[in-house]
Amino acid sequence: MDHNEIFLTASAMADAARSRTLPLFRSAGLAPDNKLADGFDPVTEADRESERAMRAILAERRPEDAILGEEFGAAPGRSGLTWVLDPIDGTRAFISGAPSWGTLIGLTDGTGPIYGIVDQPFTGERFEGGLGRAQVTSRDGTRALGVRKGVALDQATLLSTYPDIGTEDERAAFGRVACQVRLTRYGLDCYGYALLALGQVDLVIEAGLQAHDIVAPIAVIEAAGGIVTDWQGGPAHGGGQVLAAATPELHAAALALLQG
Amino acid sequence: MDHNEIFLTASAMADAARSRTLPLFRSAGLAPDNKLADGFDPVTEADRESERAMRAILAERRPEDAILGEEFGAAPGRSGLTWVLDPIDGTRAFISGAPSWGTLIGLTDGTGPIYGIVDQPFTGERFEGGLGRAQVTSRDGTRALGVRKGVALDQATLLSTYPDIGTEDERAAFGRVACQVRLTRYGLDCYGYALLALGQVDLVIEAGLQAHDIVAPIAVIEAAGGIVTDWQGGPAHGGGQVLAAATPELHAAALALLQG
């Protein structure tokens, strides 16, 4: 595999997505459609335009690779590689004007995530991990990502997007961790995983995710030295329950609490 | 009152605060102290340095004005004006690397808030309202603030910082509004009030606030055409329970639900 070609393709995709999402962020005419008959699962023209732009780049540069995208589904490939795309993770944040949404570009082989980008266009931060890279590029330049070490559970900061996500059992399990840490914060969407890779927080726990929500964050966090599994300690890249931790010690402590 | 002198003083204070907070945001050595024996109420050197810098500017430029600051308390004045300062609103966000914290600079006379700044140094946005101004200045220049009109309660976006803030009765009252709106988001601190003034969200409901948390947001939101009261419909600038709404219709609807 030509790593440089992967980096250039992913970078071109992230740039293309930015050019579609950022002009619509906080724009007056943005009217979300609702994907659900019962409830509210918003999708906007920004989501669709961003994924179309990324798929067009793959069609030109990487026609042998498979694609799994949130808005336009799966397309088969022959290379053994699959691009897993979420054009706007955190559409609810996007339509609220909050800069915690992001474009997720993940790459998997038969073993799981091998590379990913978490891109936040409004703050201008691109978090990137895998194939030897672990870095964030912003207006201030490029610097290394790395998780924070040596924080005990009772001094840890825990993130989750929604306090009421998941089933009653899942909320109870989350609560067992939340009551042991020093600080729990909500509402950060994919940006929370980026903050873990940046060494700013120690744990992210979520439930009810899709593969496109988590493949890119896994690659970034693992490249930064962290650990991501499901709530049984197994692979998380298929979605569902996710436990991301800065260190093996925090991962083990949180896993034990989640399992009750 | 010389409005231009007020604007220049407040701008100099916000610049000085930025110069103290931004270098410490996400810095490796930032170790929060805890203000509480039972619980976690973090304060950092960034909070203290930022308030000191703002007070030094007032001492030089506006020695007749009173000051009420989160970290260093009250200082009397003779002008009838009081500067109400929160050097870092959202210290929990600050120590988590999340860009929802801000520096709050409010100005009151005998009647309540007359001017305020909500400054977010990391995104580079300065929201300003009162004395004829209603504007946000960012890297892209300066543009007018204005609340969003014509959104019904069942289409509204509601923000609050914590799902578990306040007493059991306050949580129940908040829940009566949350279950009627289309979308509820958490974790935005003072940035949530800025998003209301920017026309991105429709309601912010909080409890347990201090005067320094809310004086500046009230000035910005009122200048943008919104309404801020307590949960009884009275003045909110003393802190406690706060209901901020984009329109009179949303304010009335939320107030009725809060009062049960």
Side-chain angles (χ1 to χ4, degrees):
Chain A
M1 191 179 354
D2 180 345
H3 291 188
N4 204 45
E5 170 57 19
I6 298 286
F7 297 150
L8 291 173
T9 300
S11 169
M13 291 163 72
D15 289 344
R18 271 193 193 193
S19 74
R20 303 311 195 279
T21 56
L22 204 46
L24 291 171
F25 181 55
R26 299 185 179 176
S27 70
L30 189 74
D33 300 325
N34 189 358
K35 288 187 195 177
L36 294 182
D38 180 24
F40 181 57
D41 183 9
V43 62
T44 69
E45 198 51 33
D47 296 79
R48 291 183 287 250
E49 281 296 318
S50 169
E51 186 168 323
R52 277 191 203 105
M54 292 193 286
R55 284 177 176 254
I57 287 167
L58 288 175
E60 187 181 323
R61 298 180 70 136
R62 309 272 316 172
E64 310 275 295
D65 297 346
I67 306 175
L68 179 62
E70 180 180 17
E71 307 306 337
F72 300 108
R78 288 171 298 185
S79 66
L81 298 175
T82 301
W83 294 88
V84 183
L85 309 178
D86 191 344
I88 299 181
D89 178 81
T91 303
R92 290 173 180 79
F94 188 88
I95 63 171
S96 306
S100 55
W101 59 278
T103 296
L104 304 182
I105 300 170
L107 184 64
T108 62
D109 64 11
T111 69
I114 58 169
Y115 173 76
I117 283 179
V118 176
D119 192 62
Q120 211 310 302
F122 184 73
T123 63
E125 295 167 289
R126 184 166 300 172
F127 304 88
E128 191 179 355
L131 304 176
R133 279 199 176 173
Q135 64 186 40
V136 55
T137 304
S138 68
R139 295 181 183 93
D140 302 327
T142 296
R143 63 192 185 93
L145 291 174
V147 296
R148 176 159 72 182
K149 303 283 186 189
V151 175
L153 187 67
D154 66 357
Q155 297 296 305
T157 298
L158 164 65
L159 302 183
S160 194
T161 296
Y162 289 100
D164 51 359
I165 207 164
T167 65
E168 198 173 322
D169 283 351
E170 286 172 330
R171 285 192 292 278
F174 178 83
R176 289 194 294 275
V177 185
C179 74
Q180 297 287 324
V181 300
R182 186 170 72 171
L183 180 57
T184 303
R185 300 275 304 175
Y186 298 99
L188 283 164
D189 304 286
C190 62
Y191 203 72
Y193 295 103
L195 291 176
L196 182 67
L198 202 55
Q200 294 296 308
V201 305
D202 309 289
L203 290 163
V204 183
I205 298 178
E206 299 202 272
L209 296 190
Q210 303 291 317
H212 55 251
D213 297 320
I214 195 63
V215 166
I218 288 172
V220 172
I221 289 171
E222 289 182 346
I227 298 163
V228 189
T229 69
D230 66 16
W231 292 9
Q232 285 70 47
H237 58 267
Q241 300 169 333
V242 170
L243 163 61
T247 65
E249 294 76 16
L250 281 175
H251 182 265
L255 194 62
L257 289 165
L258 286 172
Q259 294 178 345
Chain B
M1 193 180 350
D2 180 344
H3 291 187
N4 203 48
E5 170 57 19
I6 297 287
F7 297 149
L8 291 173
T9 300
S11 168
M13 291 164 72
D15 289 345
R18 272 193 193 194
S19 75
R20 304 310 196 281
T21 56
L22 205 46
L24 292 170
F25 182 55
R26 300 183 179 175
S27 70
L30 188 75
D33 302 324
N34 189 358
K35 289 186 191 179
L36 292 182
D38 178 24
F40 181 56
D41 183 10
V43 62
T44 69
E45 197 51 30
D47 295 81
R48 291 183 287 251
E49 282 296 317
S50 169
E51 186 168 324
R52 277 191 202 105
M54 290 193 286
R55 284 176 175 256
I57 287 167
L58 288 176
E60 188 183 322
R61 298 179 70 135
R62 309 273 314 173
E64 310 274 296
D65 296 346
I67 306 175
L68 179 64
E70 180 179 18
E71 307 305 337
F72 300 109
R78 286 172 298 184
S79 66
L81 297 176
T82 301
W83 294 88
V84 183
L85 309 178
D86 192 344
I88 298 180
D89 178 81
T91 303
R92 289 173 180 81
F94 188 89
I95 64 172
S96 305
S100 55
W101 59 279
T103 297
L104 305 183
I105 300 169
L107 185 63
T108 62
D109 63 11
T111 68
I114 58 169
Y115 173 75
I117 283 178
V118 175
D119 192 62
Q120 212 310 302
F122 183 72
T123 62
E125 295 168 289
R126 184 166 298 171
F127 303 88
E128 190 180 356
L131 304 177
R133 279 199 176 173
Q135 64 187 38
V136 55
T137 303
S138 69
R139 296 180 182 92
D140 301 326
T142 297
R143 62 191 184 95
L145 292 173
V147 295
R148 177 159 72 183
K149 303 286 186 187
V151 175
L153 187 66
D154 66 357
Q155 297 297 304
T157 298
L158 164 65
L159 302 183
S160 194
T161 297
Y162 289 100
D164 52 358
I165 204 164
T167 64
E168 197 173 321
D169 283 352
E170 286 172 330
R171 286 192 292 278
F174 178 83
R176 288 193 295 274
V177 185
C179 73
Q180 296 287 324
V181 299
R182 186 170 72 172
L183 181 57
T184 302
R185 300 275 304 174
Y186 297 99
L188 283 164
D189 304 287
C190 63
Y191 203 71
Y193 294 104
L195 291 177
L196 182 67
L198 203 54
Q200 294 297 309
V201 304
D202 308 289
L203 290 163
V204 184
I205 298 177
E206 300 203 272
L209 297 190
Q210 302 292 318
H212 54 251
D213 296 321
I214 196 62
V215 165
I218 289 173
V220 172
I221 289 171
E222 290 183 344
I227 298 163
V228 189
T229 69
D230 66 17
W231 292 8
Q232 285 71 48
H237 58 267
Q241 300 168 335
V242 170
L243 162 61
T247 64
E249 294 75 17
L250 282 174
H251 181 266
L255 194 62
L257 289 165
L258 287 172
Q259 294 178 344

